[in-house]
Every structure is written in structure tokens, then in C-alpha cells.
Amino acid sequence: MKPTALNGILMMLGFAAFGPVIDVFAKLAATEIPVAQVSAARFLVQSALLLPLAALLGHLHRPDRTETALHLLRGALVLTATLLFFGAVKYMPIADAIAIFFVEPFILTLLSSLILGETIGWRRILACLTGFLGAMLVIKPSFTDFGWIAAMPMGTAFCFAFYVILTRHMAGRGHPVTLQAYSGLAATLYSLPVLWLMNGSGHPLLDPVLPDLRFALYLGGVGLAATIAHVFISYAFTWAPAAVLAPLGYLEIVTATLLGWLVFADFPDGLTLIGVAIIIASGLFVFWREQITDTKLRSLPATPQ
């Protein structure tokens, strides 16, 4: 695929489709496996898959000190985001947790202007706000139902917004597969010593256990789905501005609602369905606006050199 904004949007749609699959496997695994171990497995599998792939593609390189520091920071951000979110979906319906997480595109849109200096038109701002309001309809009184656990996806939202900004900043420092391989490796390097130190501690979230075959497959599913999803998002933010992609992240709630219903019998109520419809509409509007912009740019006469 060519590195165009429209293809970046398609990559973001791929992320929206695969993202909740990670959470389904994580929720299944977390019934028996500590959350820290589920998170570590996610990054261990990602590293094991992407490092050889990056080498095979000829994009593996030795990062300098600055790049290494940035990879370590990305790893810390995505690991923290993952721990918080896996902890939330252990107790909450996936769709509810993702709905709370969807303050993230709103945060990201603002950060893309403040940090990256990207121009945000009023139509995109309106689409972000509309999608955000749709997400609010899905959230409902989660704080009343789940207490402090409902705040964990908000922590994920802040960490992930900064992670995406940093991914965008590093777009020119390596191939998207390489970026994801190194961030997965960094998160693994953080995770494994913690699990080793906490082995035998009895801590319900940190003490690792030996899984049987079924739960080992769940752990592998977390890692495989996360690898696919985050390769999508890495390409997306390499090819398209964050402000364009941010509202499309709302489409993840559609997959989450469907999977929550099919796997965990969390059937959405009428208010949730209305919210999902608004989210879809705002995402499609952004896609339509990007098509118009891309068509206008292609129609402009070439500038003399």
C-alpha cells in the first residue's frame, strides 16, 4: 500500500477491528492468570513475532541513545496503558471499558495540535466532539457500578494518547514494524523482572502462575492480536495526521460491543446502540472529508520548481 492519508485511515480501521480482540483474550485469560502476566505475555509474543520479521524485511537496526530512550519511553507508556486496561476488563464489560477509554481521541486531537502543531479544522473538531458524545451515551453510570475501577481506562487513555504522539514523532526513525518490535521488547524488559521478583508472593495481580493449555492459548491470542493491531496503528500514524485518525478510533467500540455480546453475553441496550450509531457516523464523516481533501489536492496544478 502507498503511504497516503487514505491508506492511513484504512490502517486505523484495521486497528479498530483488531483492538478489542486483544481485550477478549485478556478478559478470558484474567479469570485465572494475573493481569501482570497477561500483559507480559502480550509483549513477549509481540517481540518474538516482530523482531524476526523486522530482520527479514531488512529494517532491523541498532538504535542510538536518543532512539533507545524513546523506545523505552514508548514501552513504559504502552505497558502502563495495558496494565490499567487489562485490570479494568477483568471486572468490567469490554464495551464499557472501551467507552470510558474513548476520552483518548479527544485528548489526542488536542495534543496533536499542541505538541505536533497539526492543523485541526472545525469540521474535524466537531466530528471529534460528536463521537465523544456518542461514547458518553455508551459509558452510562460506570463510576456508580464499578467505582475506582472505572477510572483505570481513563488512565489508559492518557498513557495511550502520549504513546501515539510519540509514535508519530518517531515515524521517521524506523519502519513501523521495527518501532513496534522495539516497543514490545522494551515493555517485555520492564515486565519480566517484576514477575520474577513477585513469583511466590501471592499477590493476585503480580504473582505468575503456570497456565494449562487453554489459558496458554489465551495468552498467545492476546499477543498475536496485539501484534496485528499495533502494526496497523503504527502504519496509520506514519501515513496520516493524528487529528484525522483520532475520531476513527471511536469505531473500536463497534467491534467491542459485538464481541462482548458474542463471547460474554453483554448485550447492548438501546442507549448503547444509539451511542454506537453516533460514533460510526462521526468516523464516516471524517473519512468522507479526507476523501474530498485528497481529491482537491490531486486536482491542483503542479507548482513550478
Side-chain angles (χ1 to χ4, degrees), residues 233-294:
I233 200 170
S234 189
Y235 272 106
F237 283 94
T238 300
W239 292 349
V244 173
L245 298 176
L248 297 176
Y250 288 118
L251 296 174
E252 193 177 353
I253 191 65
V254 179
T255 310
T257 302
L258 179 61
L259 291 176
W261 173 47
L262 292 175
V263 180
F264 304 105
D266 294 330
F267 191 80
D269 58 22
L271 193 61
T272 298
L273 292 176
I274 292 172
V276 168
I278 293 173
I279 292 164
I280 293 173
S282 66
L284 291 178
F285 176 79
V286 172
F287 184 78
W288 174 68
R289 285 297 307 171
E290 184 60 28
Q291 282 184 314
I292 291 176
T293 302
D294 192 59

Side-chain angles (χ1 to χ4, degrees), residues 182-221:
Y182 283 146
S183 65
L185 179 61
T188 302
L189 293 176
Y190 289 130
S191 301
L192 294 183
V194 173
L195 292 177
W196 180 75
L197 290 171
M198 297 303 294
N199 186 32
S201 66
H203 195 289
L205 300 178
L206 300 175
D207 186 6
V209 300
L210 183 64
D212 61 22
L213 178 59
R214 177 161 64 100
F215 283 92
L217 290 175
Y218 290 157
L219 293 177

Side-chain angles (χ1 to χ4, degrees), residues 57-135:
L57 294 173
H59 295 299
L60 202 61
H61 66 280
R62 178 179 294 180
D64 58 27
R65 290 184 179 180
T66 300
E67 186 180 346
T68 298
L70 292 173
H71 286 309
L72 290 172
L73 180 55
R74 287 178 77 242
L77 286 169
V78 74
L79 176 61
T80 303
T82 301
L83 285 169
L84 289 171
F85 199 80
F86 284 0
V89 299
K90 177 179 172 68
Y91 303 102
M92 295 175 61
I94 293 173
D96 285 19
I98 289 183
I100 296 172
F101 166 78
F102 272 115
V103 296
E104 184 268 342
F106 189 64
I107 296 168
L108 179 58
T109 300
L110 295 177
L111 290 178
S112 67
S113 177
L114 295 174
I115 298 176
L116 299 180
E118 294 180 355
T119 302
I120 305 173
W122 68 268
R123 293 181 180 86
R124 289 173 187 169
I125 293 176
L126 182 60
C128 275
L129 291 174
T130 303
F132 179 75
L133 291 175

